[in-house]
Amino acid sequence: MSKSKKSPAFQSPKGMHDVLPQNQLWWDKVRKETKDTAESYNFLRIDTPIVESAALFQRSIGEATDVVEKQMFVFDTKGGDKLTLRPEGTAAIVRAYIQHGLSHLGQPLKLYYDGPMFRYEQPQAGRFRQFNQVGFEIIGGEDDPIYDVQVILPLFRLLESLKIKKLTLHLNTIGCKVCRPNYRKKLQNYYKSKQKEICKDCQKRFAINPLRLLDCTNPICVEIKKGAPGILDDLCSYCQRHFKNFLEYIEELALPYELDPHLVRGLDYYSRTVFEIFTEADSLADPVSDKKQENNKDNRAFNFALASGGRYDYLFEMMGGRVTPAVGGALGVERVIEVMKGLKVNLLPRAKAKVFLINIGDLAKKKSLLLLEEFLKAGIRVTESLGKNSLSAQLRAADKEGVLLALILGQKEAFKESIIVRDMKSGAQEIVPLKKVVAEIKKRI
Ligand code: HAM
């Protein structure tokens, strides 16, 4: 009878992935480059809880957005609080800034963060229910468009440092309190005759939040959007100047960009500049199996932006704080890693240990623990297999690790406070006093 392969009783939740040891090199690389980039652009690190009050996001991201309406993991605590797994980082950072009066740290304050975010979405390539973001925020100071560029730069350079090429910025402005109402009216006029064609969600958006009509990923709505008016003709003179100056800075830096008059972003807190960063890399790797997937790079409905963000000058007031202009952006780490894998970006493997410690007998095993600590203090990595007892099994393990030297602490050596140093290539052995072995090995490797 053939045994049918049973799937394990427990699996990771849908849309949430384990990062297995063989994939950690990619994550290490992103973490290292994030820290280096943030520090070189003078951003300070901030960490906020993974769970926040649900009301924080309802107020900041907006009730009529997909994130708040459909995608939050909300739960009640035993104490009766309504909390949610955070769907994004910006609102939480604004909350922390107001709560701790961070304006005293200087204006503007440049902050960065990384960590997991949670959205109840239909999982597909590049879209998960738990995903990680790296974000940069510039808070306070003036609403000068130079800050918009200073947020885009570290994101762009970070992607470049991860060897992601053919990057393009998609840029737009969504105006301010003064000019946006006119544009909303124009949009409603455009969509009025199309109300029966657009999806059910968009029919609701039409009345409550017409800008969100431009975010819809339903293929019919995406098609209809193509004829919708852009905002540029309706901008007030202040927003016009702001966007013009912003584009001049982008051009000065020669960053490749396209204007996208329908880019509004899925969160309500934005004003003026909005941006997304795309790559033309034509393959994505599956997050678990590493096999290649089709990247719908030409189909914006799949939203494969690697990074995105914008200005949010009204968010502080909306959350009960003082008027504080701010701008920020975040990149999706899983998406970035999928692209890096698809591009076969070369990573330096973790340096291998050059020394293996072999122990034989109870006394040697006991002494081995302390000896390993001494090597560690001296900055020398030593591998071992202390749970194995036979010499041949441990020698095989040392061979597999490809070390230069094996240290053999047998019964006799442990008793005499000495240790055998074996050259794995030549097989030559010598006895060294235990007290001197760390210094001796330091000389040899
Ligand atoms: P967002 O566009 O919702 O903006 O997300 C930023 C990035 O996170 C996206 O460009 C994408 O790479 C990644 N991302 C979003 N959703 C998913 C998902 N379900 N699976 C995988 N990756 C995803 C924000 O979250 C804003 N807080 C950005 C910001 C910062 N705006 C101002 N400051």
Side-chain angles (χ1 to χ4, degrees), residues 353-359 363-387 394 403 405-409 419 434 437-438 441:
K354 292 180 181 153
V355 186
F356 194 100
L357 175 62
I358 292 171
N359 74 106
L363 184 61
K365 197 172 217 167
K366 229 184 254 170
K367 284 185 184 284
S368 291
L369 283 174
L370 206 57
L371 185 59
L372 284 170
E373 292 303 299
E374 280 170 30
F375 274 111
L376 211 71
K377 263 191 239 155
I380 300 170
R381 259 182 66 214
V382 178
T383 51
E384 40 65 33
S385 189
L386 291 185
Q394 291 179 75
V403 292
L405 301 170
L407 306 175
I408 305 169
L409 190 57
I419 192 162
L434 206 49
V437 70
V438 174
I441 297 300

Side-chain angles (χ1 to χ4, degrees), residues 88 90 119 121 126 128 133 137 265 269-270 305-306 308 328-329 332:
E88 59 108 43
T90 310
R119 296 184 193 174
E121 302 207 62
F128 312 111
Q133 282 186 349
E137 315 283 348
R265 312 269 303 110
Y269 52 60
Y270 292 114
L306 290 182
S308 33

